[in-house]
Amino acid sequence: MRYFYTFFLTIFSISLVTGCQNTKEKQLSSVENSDEKWWKEAIVYQIYPRSFKDSDGDGIGDLKGIISKLDYLESLGITAVWINPFYSSPNDDNGYDISDYRAIMKEFGSMEDFDILLKGLHDRKIKLVMDLVVNHSSDEHEWFKQSRSSRTNKYRNYYHWWDAERGKPNYRYSLFDINHDAWKYDSLTNSYYLHYFSRKQPDLNWENPTLRKEVYDIMKFWADKGIDGFRLDAFGFAAKDTSFPAFPKGYEKNFMAYYSMVPAIHDYLKEMNKEVFSKYNVMSVAEGAGNSFEDAHNLVDESRKELNMAYAFEGVDIAKAEGYSISHFKKVFSKWDSAFTNKGWISIFLANHDQARMVSRFGNDSAAYRDLSAKMLNTFILSMRGTPYLYNGDELAMTNAGFSKINDYRDMATLNEYQNQLNKKGNIPAFLNRLQFECRDNGRTPFQWDNSVNAGFSTGAPWIQVNKNYTSINAADQEKDSSSVLNYVKKMIQIRKSNQVLVYGIYNLIDKDNPTVYAYTREWKGMKMLVLLNFSNQTSKVNTGLNLAKAKPLIQNYSNLNGETLQPYEAVIYQLLN
Ligand code: GLC
């Protein structure tokens, strides 16, 4: 799944909106020329609503389910949530195919539920970031129904059409469709329409100013409700060369250079900023970070007035079934940090709803090391410079699903690719093996609340199977256990919140060639922290060049510390005292 999916996951970042400012924000914004912002200090928790909590027994998570867990969210200490799309949708791609941008998906509840949820979050000082999916809509959106009905319909130019008399358009790759052909022929008007994702996700035509205005109106609708930010889904693809020229031979090797970041994207973002972000003071993060540092800066440098935060995929992409090297990991994260030393801002994450589970990919999900390595990885996310994004369930060390049959999977892109493999007589056992490690459904199994039936997620049959390990990995047990991953993550969140050096401090990699340990310092306004992370299952030595006798441990995942000798997957943060 990853090999075709990650093509486009190198694109963009998120945009959050600040609705009502709290006292802290007012203080910060009154500091002249201050670079300090609430969204830099935020700790974002991503909720995959379909799998979080079901309130009505239909096996599908819903807004009332999230409402029933608001106290849990508050107990984590997180300060913002990003919730995957909950607009009306036929769910070809679990909500990423929207049929009405101003209505709530019926499986998820009603607009009244949404209003209660938003108020419940704000009452707890948690901000809400929404997913804005406007590279494409659903083919069941009224715009598309109109658009396809005739060549002269006023919605025709909301999408990309190619009249068949002109011959077949030049090939475009579809990330999700069987055969990967992004042009679908529609006999109704004897034309092809473009869909970079599935055929039920036609691409919107951003060249059309009327379409763009519709999108800004939708954003204003939600901003007026008081939401705090937007994540711009797949937006790197929105601008296109609509002459659809043939791409040169071998372009696939550099797919993103041809498919994403067409320069007009910056005009659209500037316009969006002027029309929406600036008026509402909302925060914004696009999915991806462009194709280069230059792109990333063009997206998020403050003076350009486009977006706030980049969300680079290079780090999350390096985990492979055969393993990854920590040297590579260090290089990638250090490189991206250096890109934003002076201007712009980045997101730090190791998982989301499009990835398999963090502990199974970057840590070690064996019984011996699961908890230790999950604590270590969460320490990493919460101690880097950049806004941390925690994916729901990773605070419990939820693992990959262990599905072995294709029928266990639900992801449309995976099922289409399976069909594609069958058609071309591919190696099916190898394909299924790869899915076990990398399919995004691994990260979508129901949240493991407790050890009751269906992990306390639903009283009905869940839309996707619960991971069988829920009796030993669940929130209720971990809440009671002071040494659990959950309690460790809560402590780490408090440490980040009470030490601004972890948000703004200069990052400095140390012992850089160490093959197993990731060590770095963070320094700001006379404060200095040292972070030591052993990414291996072996005892490892680190050379810090610092006097640890003069350092105060703030958090550690082992009870005993042996200075520069680190136990398997050990994580420790020291405050360095002069
Ligand atoms: C983004 C979403 C992914 C979705 C795709 C198409 O990458 O994160 O889940 O399938 O866009 O909307």
Side-chain angles (χ1 to χ4, degrees), residues 5 8-9 93 96 133 136 176 197 201 231 233-234 287 353-354 440 444:
Y5 189 67
F8 87 94
L9 290 183
D93 187 18
Y96 282 95
V133 189
H136 45 269
F176 287 176
F197 294 89
Q201 295 169 295
R231 165 199 187 251
D233 180 76
E287 185 187 18
H353 64 292
D354 292 326
R440 56 184 182 167
R444 297 177 174 187

Side-chain angles (χ1 to χ4, degrees), residues 120 143 199 227 250 255 285 399 403 450 459 501 525 552 576:
W143 295 339
R199 63 187 61 178
I227 64 131
F255 174 90
V285 33
T399 66
F403 294 156
D450 56 40
T459 53
V501 58
K525 294 190 175 166
K552 176 176 142 205
L576 295 168

